C-alpha cells in the first residue's frame, strides 16, 4: 500500500498495469488497493505540477499570514472553512507559532490578490489581522526542483 | 629505443576492453539509451554532497592518516557490525581506500605474485583478473553456470583449489549477473575453505542492493573470518561513484600489509570524500532505502521486459544488472550488442566482456530512469522479434 502511494506521489500518471509490474502484484490487487485508498480519502486527487512562469499565463502567488479569533465550540475549523472555500485559496494550513493560518492565494495579478485580501479575507469577522507576502520565484514545489532537467551526464567508463 | 618494448609483458598483453567500440558508436547517436554503465543514475544524496562542500569551507583540505580518519573508521566499524553482524577493530582492522577497487588491488598485491594462483569465479568484474595478472600471479577461472543461477558451487571450488592457491575471490552480489548467494549456499563454500591456507577476498560492494532479504557477508562466518578480507564501499549503495571511496576490513596483519602499499601508492583517500562518507554512514539510511525500493521496481520491469521479448532471463536478486541469454536469437553476445546498438540505439554490454563463460549473455543495467527502461525494453522487444532464428 505504502509503496503504491510512493509511486503515485511521484507520478500520478502511472498506470495500474505499470504499478502491478513494479511491485510484483496482480493488476486486480493494485486496482483494489487504489480504489480503497481513494475511497478512504488517502488519495484525494491527481494533480499536474505546472511551472506557470514558463507558460504564457499570468500568475501571482501570495502567502498570507492570518491571525484569527477561534470560535467557541468549533475552534479554528469554522474560520478556516470560511477562508478555504474561496477558489482563489490554493492551500490553507493551521499553524503553531506567531499566527494562526497560512493561506496560499493565487490570482492573475498582484492587484487581484490584494483585492481578495482587502475585500474578502480581512473583513471576515474572526480575522484579526493579515500579512501578505508575494512569491517572487518558485525554486521547488512538491519535491521537484523547477530549473533542474535531470540529464544523464555519466561518462562511458570502459569497465 | 622501442618504447613499447619497455612495457612489461603482463601489462602489454592485457587485451584492450572489448566494449570501447560501443561507446565510440553511442557518442555519435542522438536518442540512444545506455544500459551499459555500471553505476547509479541517482545523484549522491544532497546531505552527503553538502557535507563534502562544508568540509572544504571549513578548510579541511589536508591529508588524513594513511588508513583514513579514525572517526570514519569507527563509523565503518559500527556500520559493518549493524548491517552484517561482524566486528572489526577500527584502529587495526579497517582501511579506507580509493573505492573498493583499490581495496581489491592492494589486497592482491599484498598477497599474490608469480607462482601463486588466484581463484576467480566468472562472469565477474574485470578488475579481478586484471589486477591478478599485474601481480604476476595466475588467475584460475571458475565458470559459473546459468543453470545454477550463477551461484558458486562447492564442487566447482574444490576442483579449482591447488597447492598453489593463495587467494579466492568471492564476488557476490555479482556484477554482471546479479546473482546472490544465500546463507545455505555460502555455508557450503565456507566448509570447503575453512581448513585451507588461502585468503578470501569477498567483494561485497553491492551488499546493500539485495532484493530478497538481508545480505549475508562471508566475513560473518566465524570459521573463515580470520582469513577473509571484506571489501566494500560507498559507490553503489550511496550513489557515490565519483567520490572514489571504499574500505577493506580484515585481520590486522592483512590490513597492515595492505596499508603499506596504500601509503606508498596513495598516501590516503581523498579527505573531502572521507567527510562525505562519514555523513553517508551517519544520516542516510532513508535515502539508501528509497533508492533500493526504486531499483527493485525497475528490476522487475526490466526482467519482465526481457522475458516478454523472448530472452531467457534468470531472476537477478542483487546489484543492478539483468543478465539475459541471447541464445534464442542465434547471435553471439557481441553481435547482439552491436546490432542492437546500431538498429535500435540501445547500449548493452556483451556477457563475454566479463569472462568467456559470459558468452551467450548480455548485461543490461537498470540504473536508469523508469521511462528510459520502458522505452529500451520496447526497442529490445522489437529487435529480438526481427532477429529470432
Amino acid at each position: 500500500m505504502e509503496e503504491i502511494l510512493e509511486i503515485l506521489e511521484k507520478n500520478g500518471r502511472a498506470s495500474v498495469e505499470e504499478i502491478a509490474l513494479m511491485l510484483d502484484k496482480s493488476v486486480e490487487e493494485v486496482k483494489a488497493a487504489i480504489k480503497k485508498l481513494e475511497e478512504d480519502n488517502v488519495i484525494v486527487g491527481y494533480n499536474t505540477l505546472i511551472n506557470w512562469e514558463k507558460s504564457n499565463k499570468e500568475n501571482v502567488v501570495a502567502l498570507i499570514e492570518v491571525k484569527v479569533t477561534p470560535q467557541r465550540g468549533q475552534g479554528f475549523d469554522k474560520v478556516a472553512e470560511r477562508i478555504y472555500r474561496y477558489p482563489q485559496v490554493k492551500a490553507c494550513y493551521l499553524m503553531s507559532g506567531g499566527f494562526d493560518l497560512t493561506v496560499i492565494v493565487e490570482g492573475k495579478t498582484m492587484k487581484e490578490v490584494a483585492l481578495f485580501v482587502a475585500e474578502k479575507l480581512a473583513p471576515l469577522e474572526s480575522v484579526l489581522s493579515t500579512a501578505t507576502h508575494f512569491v517572487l520565484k518558485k525554486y521547488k514545489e512538491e519535491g521537484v526542483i523547477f530549473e533542474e532537467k535531470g540529464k544523464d551526464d555519466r561518462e562511458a567508463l570502459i569497465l | 629505443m622501442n618504447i613499447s618494448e619497455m612495457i612489461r609483458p603482463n601489462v602489454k598483453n592485457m587485451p584492450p576492453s572489448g566494449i570501447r567500440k560501443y561507446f565510440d558508436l553511442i557518442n555519435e547517436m542522438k536518442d540512444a539509451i545506455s544500459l551499459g554503465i555500471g553505476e547509479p543514475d541517482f545523484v549522491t544524496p544532497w546531505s552527503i554532497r553538502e557535507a563534502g562542500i562544508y568540509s572544504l569551507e571549513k578548510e579541511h583540505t589536508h591529508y588524513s592518516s594513511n588508513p583514513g580518519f579514525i572517526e570514519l573508521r569507527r563509523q565503518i566499524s559500527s556500520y559493518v557490525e549493524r548491517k552484517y553482524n561482524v566486528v572489526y577493530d577500527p584502529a587495526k582492522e579497517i582501511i579506507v581506500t580509493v573505492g573498493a577497487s583499490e581495496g581489491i588491488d592492494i589486497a592482491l598485491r599484498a598477497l599474490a605474485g608469480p607462482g601463486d594462483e588466484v581463484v576467480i569465479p566468472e562472469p565477474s568484474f574485470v578488475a579481478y583478473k586484471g589486477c591478478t595478472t599485474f601481480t604476476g600471479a595466475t588467475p584460475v577461472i571458475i565458470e559459473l553456470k546459468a543453470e545454477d543461477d550463477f551461484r558458486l558451487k562447492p564442487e566447482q571450488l574444490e576442483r579449482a583449489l591447488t597447492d598453489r592457491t593463495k587467494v579466492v575471490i568471492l564476488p557476490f552480489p555479482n556484477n554482471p549477473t546479479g546473482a546472490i548467494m544465500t546463507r545455505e549456499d555460502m555455508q557450503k563454500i565456507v566448509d570447503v575453505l575453512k581448513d585451507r591456507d588461502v585468503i578470501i577476498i569477498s567483494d561485497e560492494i553491492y551488499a546493500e542492493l539485495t532484493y530478497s532479504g538481508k545480505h549475508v557477508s562471508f566475513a560473518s562466518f566465524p570459521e573463515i573470518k580470520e582469513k577473509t578480507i571484506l571489501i566494500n564501499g560507498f559507490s553503489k549503495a550511496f550513489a557515490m561513484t565519483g567520490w572514489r571511496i571504499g574500505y577493506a576490513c580484515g585481520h590486522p596483519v592483512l590490513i597492515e600489509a595492505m596499508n603499506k602499499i596504500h601509503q606508498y601508492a596513495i598516501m590516503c583517500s581523498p579527505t573531502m570524500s572521507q567527510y562525505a562518507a562519514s555523513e553517508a554512514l551517519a544520516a542516510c539510511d532513508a535515502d539508501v532505502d528509497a533508492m533500493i525500493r526504486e531499483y527493485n521496481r525497475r528490476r522487475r520491469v526490466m526482467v519482465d521486459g526481457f522475458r516478454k521479448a523472448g530472452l531467457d532471463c534468470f531472476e537477478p536478486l542483487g546489484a543492478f544488472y539483468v543478465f539475459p541469454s541471447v541464445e534464442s536469437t542465434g547471435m553471439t553476445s557481441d553481435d547482439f550488442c552491436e546490432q542492437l546498438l546500431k538498429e535500435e540505439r540501445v547500449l548493452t554490454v556483451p556477457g563475454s566482456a566479463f569472462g568467456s563463460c559470459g558468452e551467450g549473455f548480455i548485461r543490461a543495467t537498470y540504473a536508469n530512469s523508469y521511462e528510459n527502461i520502458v522505452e529500451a525494453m520496447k526497442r529490445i522487444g522489437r529487435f529480438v522479434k526481427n532477429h529470432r532464428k
Side-chain angles (χ1 to χ4, degrees), chain A residues 25-138:
Chain A
K25 303 233 186 288
S26 73
V27 171
E28 287 68 36
E29 263 180 287
V30 173
K31 217 181 251 173
I34 292 178
K35 190 159 174 260
K36 174 110 180 36
L37 289 164
E38 287 171 348
E39 280 167 3
D40 293 350
N41 232 7
V42 177
I43 295 177
V44 287
Y46 299 87
N47 287 339
T48 301
L49 194 55
I50 297 168
N51 185 359
W52 286 109
E53 266 180 56
K54 292 229 164 172
S55 76
N56 292 324
K57 193 183 160 199
E58 285 295 314
N59 185 270
V60 174
V61 180
L63 182 153
I64 303 158
E65 298 174 4
V66 185
K67 283 189 192 161
V68 298
T69 344
Q71 284 171 342
R72 197 185 185 103
Q74 289 162 327
F76 290 99
D77 294 355
K78 199 74 197 163
V79 197
E81 192 185 347
R82 294 285 301 267
I83 295 171
Y84 67 61
R85 288 274 175 201
Y86 284 105
Q88 295 92 323
V89 174
K90 294 295 158 190
C92 181
Y93 315 116
L94 180 62
M95 309 298 295
S96 68
F99 60 98
D100 303 310
L101 297 172
T102 291
V103 178
I104 310 285
V105 174
E106 265 182 42
K108 283 197 187 64
T109 58
M110 272 170 102
K111 195 171 167 196
E112 190 182 296
V113 173
L115 278 177
F116 172 77
V117 176
E119 291 175 0
K120 306 285 184 201
L121 199 55
L124 282 174
E125 219 173 288
S126 336
V127 170
L128 299 173
S129 71
T130 63
T132 304
H133 310 275
F134 283 100
V135 173
L136 300 180
K137 182 174 184 177
K138 285 191 186 176

Side-chain angles (χ1 to χ4, degrees), chain B residues 99-100 128 172-173 202-209 231-237 245-246:
Chain B
Y128 307 135
F172 297 98
S202 185
D203 180 359
E204 301 181 18
I205 184 73
Y206 291 99
E208 285 311 286
L209 308 183
I231 303 279
N232 206 331
F234 296 85
S235 296
K236 314 293 178 177
I245 186 118

Side-chain angles (χ1 to χ4, degrees), chain B residues 32-47:
Chain B
I33 299 174
S34 173
L35 307 177
I37 310 168
E39 69 169 312
D41 59 315
F42 295 111
V43 177
T44 310
W46 171 247
S47 75

Side-chain angles (χ1 to χ4, degrees), chain B residues 312-324:
Chain B
D312 269 347
C313 183
F314 98 104
E315 184 168 12
L317 292 172
F320 38 51
Y321 307 105
V322 175
F323 202 64

Side-chain angles (χ1 to χ4, degrees), chain B residues 79-342:
Chain B
Y79 178 84
V80 169
E81 184 178 358
R82 171 164 71 90
K83 289 276 183 184
Y84 314 122
N85 203 21
V86 48
V87 181
Y88 291 104
D89 175 2
K92 295 191 173 123
E93 298 182 320
I94 296 176
I95 179 170
V96 179
T97 54
V98 179
S101 302
E102 193 220 347
I104 294 162
D105 178 41
I106 59 177
L108 284 168
R109 281 204 271 164
L111 295 164
D116 295 328
E117 291 179 355
V118 176
V119 172
I120 303 171
E122 278 187 350
S124 60
F125 181 42
V126 289
Y128 307 135
K129 196 153 81 183
C131 291
T132 298
T133 306
F134 293 145
T135 68
T138 308
V140 174
I141 303 303
I142 297 178
E143 300 195 340
L144 302 177
K145 304 251 178 292
E147 59 258 38
D148 299 329
D149 283 354
F150 292 104
R151 292 172 189 198
L152 175 61
K153 294 285 172 183
E155 316 81 75
Q156 293 179 298
L157 179 58
E158 287 276 15
R159 278 199 300 273
L161 295 170
T162 72
D163 294 343
R164 288 198 297 273
T165 308
K166 195 76 179 288
V167 175
V168 173
I169 295 179
L170 297 174
F172 297 98
N174 181 269
N175 167 15
T177 64
I180 61 164
M181 298 275 282
T182 65
R183 183 178 292 281
E184 293 69 42
D185 301 326
M186 295 166 83
Q187 185 64 56
K188 293 181 195 144
I189 300 302
V190 169
D191 290 341
V192 173
L193 292 171
K194 64 183 179 197
D195 298 320
R196 298 273 189 157
D197 291 340
V198 297
I199 299 297
I200 298 151
I201 298 178
S202 185
D203 180 359
E204 301 181 18
I205 184 73
Y206 291 99
E208 285 311 286
L209 308 183
T210 301
Y211 309 101
S212 67
K214 275 188 75 173
H215 169 78
V216 180
S217 171
F218 270 108
S220 68
F221 290 80
E223 306 96 299
I224 57 162
K225 189 202 167 194
E226 188 182 82
K227 59 174 79 167
T228 299
I229 298 171
L230 170 62
I231 303 279
N232 206 331
F234 296 85
S235 296
K236 314 293 178 177
F238 297 96
M240 290 179 69
T241 44
W243 300 78
R244 307 311 307 125
I245 186 118
Y247 53 90
C249 309
H251 190 281
V253 172
L254 296 172
I255 297 298
E256 192 193 347
M258 286 163 69
N259 190 39
K260 275 187 195 166
I261 303 172
H262 174 80
Q263 73 190 10
Y264 288 121
I266 300 283
M267 311 284 282
C268 69
S269 298
T271 45
M272 180 179 69
S273 300
Q274 291 193 50
Y275 285 108
S278 174
E279 170 67 16
L281 294 181
C284 293
D285 280 9
D287 299 88
V288 175
D289 289 347
M291 288 193 274
I292 292 168
R293 284 199 302 279
E294 177 72 35
Y295 284 136
N296 197 9
R297 299 194 284 259
R298 299 171 180 180
R299 179 182 71 90
R300 291 175 179 134
V301 171
M302 188 176 269
V303 169
D304 180 76
F306 277 119
R307 286 180 180 163
K308 282 195 180 131
L311 299 185
D312 269 347
C313 183
F314 98 104
E315 184 168 12
L317 292 172
F320 38 51
Y321 307 105
V322 175
F323 202 64
S325 162
V326 295
E327 214 193 319
S328 63
T329 62
M331 302 167 93
T332 65
S333 350
D334 210 35
D335 284 345
F336 185 97
C337 293
E338 190 169 342
Q339 288 311 315
L340 177 64
L341 182 58
K342 284 182 176 159

